[in-house]
Amino acid sequence: MRYLIKISYDGSKYCGFQIQNNKETIQECLESVLSKVVGERVSIVASGRTDAGVSAIEQVCHFDTQKELVEDRVKGYANSQLPSDIRIISVERVDENFHARYSAKRKTYNYCFYISESTIPVYEKFATNIGYNVNIQAMRDACKEFLGEKDFSAFCSSNTEVKNKVRTIYEIGITKLDDCLYVLSITGNGFLYNMVRIIMGTLVEVGLGKIDICQIKDIIHSCDRTKAGKTISAKGLFLKKVIY
Amino acid sequence: MRYLIKISYDGSKYCGFQIQNNKETIQECLESVLSKVVGERVSIVASGRTDAGVSAIEQVCHFDTQKELVEDRVKGYANSQLPSDIRIISVERVDENFHARYSAKRKTYNYCFYISESTIPVYEKFATNIGYNVNIQAMRDACKEFLGEKDFSAFCSSNTEVKNKVRTIYEIGITKLDDCLYVLSITGNGFLYNMVRIIMGTLVEVGLGKIDICQIKDIIHSCDRTKAGKTISAKGLFLKKVIY
C-alpha cells in the first residue's frame, strides 16, 4: 500500500532533505520515526530534495508499506516523536500509480528578502537582506523574462547530473509584504539544482544595475552558468506547494 | 549631550526589554555595550518596554553622555560587540528636549498569526497559529470597534500601576500575507500593558464565535479585564515603528 504524506519543516538546522552519511537530514529523521510508527523499515520518496537550510511550507512525499495504516493515528504518533521543526500535516492512502516525484505537475517556491541598510534580526530568521540600493521595480520588470518554456542551463549549478534542462515557468512575481520585506514567488513544472537561488541572485544583480533587463534573454540563450548572477543564500527559500 | 538610537531586535531569547536582576534583557545588553563604547556608564531610555519574547523591527531609545560622539563610529563599534539578535540601526544627536518615551506621538505594533489545522514550523519562528476554524472576516469587521479614543481598562493587564487608561487607536486592520498567514497592524498614541495581546486574543474569540462583534462595545464600556479575551502568546508581536 502507498501512502502520501504532506509535511512542513524548518530546514535551517538540517543538511538538506536527502539522506547523507553522518549528517542530520529531514529524510533520515522522517524515515527513522515513520519506521518506528509503522513497525517496518520505511523509505520516503519526496517531490524533490531541498538544499541545506531550505524550508518547506508544504512538501509532499510517499512511502510504501505492507501494512494497512490508520492515517490519523500515524500522523499523531509520528508528530509526537518528530522534532518540533518537522511536522506531518496529513497522511492519506493513494493509488500505487501515484509517485511523489514523477506525478508532480507544478511546484511553487517562495524566496523572502528584505531591503535595508541595516540588519533586521527578526527578518534574519527567514529572509535575506539584499541591501539598500536595489531598484525593486527593475527586479519586478525582469521577472517576466523567465516566463515560459526555456533551457535553464545558465541557471543550474554545474554540480548536477540532470541532462534535460528545459523547464517551464508558469508564474513569477514579487509581492511586498511590509515596508521593506518582499517575497519572490515562482511556479514551474520543475526546478533544476539551485535554479531558484540563481534566478533570485540574477534578479538582485538587475536590482543593483549590474545586469540589464535586456541581457537576461542572452544569458538564458547562452546556457552558460557563468553569465547568470550568483547563487543567493538558501535562507529565505521555501518550498511553498506541490501540485499534482 | 543626548543621542537618539534606533534599534532592531529579535526578542525571543530575552526576558523583555527592561532590566531585571539576573535576567538577560535587551536593555542590560545595550547599556553594557554602549557604556564600553562611549567610555562612561550609559543609561538607555526606550519609547516603551517590550515584554519577554516580543521583538522590534524599529525601537527608539535615547541616552545622555558628557562626550561628543562620532555617530557612525558608535554604531559600528557597538554592532560589532552586540549579539546578532540586537542591531543598532542609527545613532544621531538630538535636542535635550527630545525624550524617547514622552515625545512619542504614535506607535505601531504588528501581530503575525496563521490559520492552520497543523503547525507550520517555519511560521512558528515568528507567528502564532490561532487554529483552523476562525472566521477571518468577522475578525476584520471587529477591528473597527477598537478605533478612536477609549478607556481600554478592559484590555490592560491588572498587573499595572498606570492610572489613566484612555488611549486612542488611529488605525487597526488585518492584512493577508500569504495563503494562511496574516498580520494585525495597530497604531495608537500609546498602549497599556498587554493591550495589543488582549485585543488580539479578543479578536481570536470573535473569529471562533465565542464573542460577538456587537459585544465589543460593552466589553470596552465595562472596563472589566475579565470580560475581554485571553492575553495571546507574545510570539508574533512586534513593535513596528515609533513616530515622533
Side-chain angles (χ1 to χ4, degrees):
Chain A
M1 278 146 289
R2 182 158 288 187
Y3 289 88
L4 176 159
I5 57 168
K6 287 186 182 168
I7 59 171
S8 186
Y9 50 84
D10 170 6
S12 44
K13 289 185 204 138
Y14 294 87
C15 300
F17 187 88
Q18 198 178 36
I19 283 187
Q20 298 170 63
N21 278 336
N22 302 319
K23 288 190 173 169
E24 212 178 355
T25 61
I26 311 284
Q27 187 179 6
E28 191 274 329
C29 209
L30 263 178
E31 289 189 353
S32 123
V33 166
L34 279 172
S35 297
K36 194 156 61 167
V37 170
V38 172
E40 65 179 50
R41 182 78 208 142
V42 157
S43 292
I44 299 278
V45 176
S47 72
R49 58 186 90 166
T50 50
D51 289 352
V54 179
S55 297
I57 309 292
E58 190 180 298
Q59 164 76 287
V60 179
C61 311
H62 80 249
F63 66 90
D64 294 327
T65 167
Q66 303 296 325
K67 303 200 176 160
E68 191 156 341
L69 305 174
V70 181
E71 286 100 330
D72 277 352
R73 209 175 291 171
V74 169
K75 175 186 158 180
Y77 185 28
N79 276 335
S80 77
Q81 304 290 310
L82 283 164
S84 65
D85 48 12
I86 305 179
R87 293 289 94 186
I88 295 182
I89 298 172
S90 64
V91 180
E92 57 173 307
R93 178 136 177 221
V94 284
D95 191 275
E96 311 261 329
N97 292 322
F98 173 86
H99 192 285
R101 183 162 164 211
Y102 301 130
S103 308
K105 295 260 189 309
R106 291 173 178 228
K107 278 184 199 169
T108 299
Y109 277 94
N110 281 356
Y111 194 90
C112 280
F113 61 98
Y114 68 101
I115 298 177
S116 171
E117 235 180 313
S118 308
T119 300
I120 301 179
V122 167
Y123 292 166
E124 284 293 317
K125 290 171 154 185
F126 58 88
T128 289
N129 185 4
I130 62 166
Y132 190 64
N133 287 316
V134 298
N135 178 345
I136 186 77
Q137 191 53 49
M139 291 175 67
R140 285 195 155 120
D141 292 343
C143 281
K144 60 179 181 302
E145 301 295 326
F146 295 96
L147 279 171
E149 188 186 68
K150 297 174 199 300
D151 184 326
F152 282 101
S153 297
F155 295 85
C156 176
S157 164
S158 50
N159 200 0
T160 183
E161 284 165 21
V162 175
K163 293 277 179 294
N164 178 5
K165 291 174 182 161
V166 175
R167 297 290 183 277
T168 303
I169 302 299
Y170 302 112
E171 282 178 52
I172 175 172
I174 293 172
T175 306
K176 186 174 185 163
L177 299 181
D178 210 336
D179 285 357
C180 65
L181 185 65
Y182 296 84
V183 63
L184 169 80
S185 181
I186 178 163
T187 301
N189 61 352
F191 291 91
L192 302 164
Y193 189 36
N194 283 348
M195 180 169 155
V196 180
R197 289 165 62 185
I198 300 171
I199 289 178
M200 182 63 203
T202 304
L203 289 174
V204 170
E205 294 192 22
V206 169
L208 290 168
K210 291 182 186 170
I211 292 179
D212 197 87
I213 295 174
C214 62
Q215 289 174 260
I216 294 176
K217 268 196 185 66
D218 295 338
I219 295 171
I220 295 172
H221 285 147
S222 76
C223 291
D224 179 356
R225 170 68 191 93
T226 66
K227 297 274 194 287
K230 297 195 188 99
T231 307
I232 200 167
S233 158
K235 192 175 62 179
L237 184 58
F238 305 93
L239 174 58
K240 178 68 196 309
K241 210 170 177 59
V242 188
I243 304 279
Y244 289 90
Chain B
M1 276 147 289
R2 181 158 288 185
Y3 288 88
L4 176 159
I5 57 170
K6 288 186 182 169
I7 59 171
S8 187
Y9 50 84
D10 171 5
S12 46
K13 290 188 207 136
Y14 294 88
C15 299
F17 187 89
Q18 198 178 37
I19 284 188
Q20 298 170 64
N21 278 336
N22 302 318
K23 290 191 171 167
E24 212 179 355
T25 62
I26 311 283
Q27 187 179 8
E28 191 275 329
C29 209
L30 263 177
E31 288 188 354
S32 124
V33 166
L34 279 174
S35 296
K36 193 156 61 169
V37 170
V38 172
E40 65 181 46
R41 182 77 207 142
V42 157
S43 292
I44 299 277
V45 176
S47 73
R49 56 185 94 168
T50 51
D51 288 352
V54 179
S55 297
I57 310 292
E58 191 181 297
Q59 165 74 288
V60 178
C61 310
H62 79 251
F63 66 89
D64 292 326
T65 167
Q66 302 297 325
K67 301 198 177 163
E68 193 157 341
L69 305 175
V70 182
E71 286 100 329
D72 278 351
R73 207 175 291 170
V74 169
K75 174 185 159 180
Y77 184 28
N79 277 335
S80 76
Q81 303 289 312
L82 283 165
S84 65
D85 49 12
I86 305 178
R87 293 288 94 185
I88 295 181
I89 299 172
S90 64
V91 180
E92 57 174 305
R93 178 137 178 219
V94 283
D95 191 276
E96 312 261 329
N97 292 323
F98 174 87
H99 191 284
R101 185 162 163 214
Y102 300 129
S103 308
K105 295 261 190 307
R106 291 172 178 229
K107 278 184 199 170
T108 299
Y109 277 94
N110 281 357
Y111 194 90
C112 280
F113 61 99
Y114 68 103
I115 298 177
S116 172
E117 236 179 314
S118 308
T119 299
I120 301 179
V122 166
Y123 292 166
E124 284 293 317
K125 291 172 154 184
F126 59 87
T128 290
N129 185 3
I130 62 166
Y132 190 62
N133 287 314
V134 299
N135 178 345
I136 187 77
Q137 190 53 48
M139 290 175 66
R140 285 194 154 123
D141 292 342
C143 282
K144 61 178 180 302
E145 301 295 326
F146 295 96
L147 279 171
E149 188 185 70
K150 295 173 201 303
D151 183 325
F152 282 100
S153 297
F155 296 85
C156 176
S157 164
S158 50
N159 199 1
T160 181
E161 285 165 19
V162 175
K163 292 278 177 295
N164 178 5
K165 289 169 182 165
V166 175
R167 298 290 183 276
T168 302
I169 301 299
Y170 302 113
E171 283 177 51
I172 174 170
I174 292 171
T175 306
K176 187 174 184 163
L177 298 181
D178 211 335
D179 285 357
C180 66
L181 186 64
Y182 295 84
V183 62
L184 169 80
S185 181
I186 179 165
T187 302
N189 62 352
F191 292 91
L192 301 164
Y193 189 36
N194 283 349
M195 181 169 154
V196 179
R197 290 165 62 186
I198 301 170
I199 289 178
M200 181 64 202
T202 304
L203 289 173
V204 170
E205 295 193 22
V206 169
L208 291 167
K210 291 182 187 170
I211 292 178
D212 197 87
I213 296 175
C214 62
Q215 289 174 261
I216 294 178
K217 268 195 184 67
D218 295 338
I219 295 171
I220 295 172
H221 285 148
S222 76
C223 292
D224 179 355
R225 170 68 192 94
T226 67
K227 298 274 194 290
K230 295 195 189 103
T231 306
I232 201 167
S233 158
K235 192 174 63 179
L237 184 58
F238 304 93
L239 173 59
K240 178 71 197 306
K241 209 170 177 59
V242 188
I243 304 279
Y244 290 90

